[in-house]
Amino acid sequence: VKPHPDEVDDCCWVTPTKLKHMMADPKLLFSPWCRLILQKWILNDGGWWSNLHETMNTSKHCDYVNIHRFDPPKEHYGGAGNAKPQFLAGDET
């Protein structure tokens, strides 16, 4: 893995449990899209990490039709772009 230094500060191999603990650590900042995707599709019950064989060998978790929109997490509110909730009911398809 060779992440772009302007986009990634650090990377490491983790288990789902370790990643959940890392996401709960307020000293660690994840990109808003990474956090939302992890919570919605990867780490939840039935998410793709819960059955990697199925994930890698089927198209069960592929969605080529919908566009999903997300509000940024609270730690990303403000800033130069004045980020704030736009989809108050959660993600909108």
Side-chain angles (χ1 to χ4, degrees), residues 13 16 18 40-41 45 54 58 61 63 65-66 78 88 90:
W13 296 104
K18 173 69 175 172
K40 184 169 180 74
W41 288 300
D45 290 335
E54 178 181 67
T58 72
H61 299 288
D63 182 352
V65 176
N66 296 302
L88 297 177

Side-chain angles (χ1 to χ4, degrees), residues 1-86:
V1 176
K2 294 175 84 174
H4 192 285
D6 290 340
E7 297 179 5
V8 178
D9 287 332
D10 196 10
C11 64
C12 61
W13 296 104
V14 296
T15 64
T17 301
K18 173 69 175 172
L19 183 54
K20 288 176 186 177
H21 289 329
M22 291 171 69
M23 289 177 58
D25 184 341
K27 292 178 253 164
L28 299 176
L29 185 62
F30 290 81
S31 74
W33 318 126
C34 176
R35 182 177 294 278
L36 292 165
I37 289 167
L38 285 169
Q39 291 171 342
K40 184 169 180 74
W41 288 300
I42 297 175
L43 294 174
N44 63 336
D45 290 335
W48 73 255
W49 208 340
S50 65
N51 187 338
L52 288 177
H53 184 274
E54 178 181 67
T55 299
M56 300 304 292
N57 294 291
T58 72
S59 60
K60 177 183 177 183
H61 299 288
C62 298
D63 182 352
Y64 300 111
V65 176
N66 296 302
I67 297 172
H68 299 271
R69 297 176 182 92
F70 301 98
D71 283 334
K74 289 183 181 179
E75 67 265 25
H76 290 278
Y77 285 5
N82 194 25
K84 60 186 176 246
Q86 295 181 13

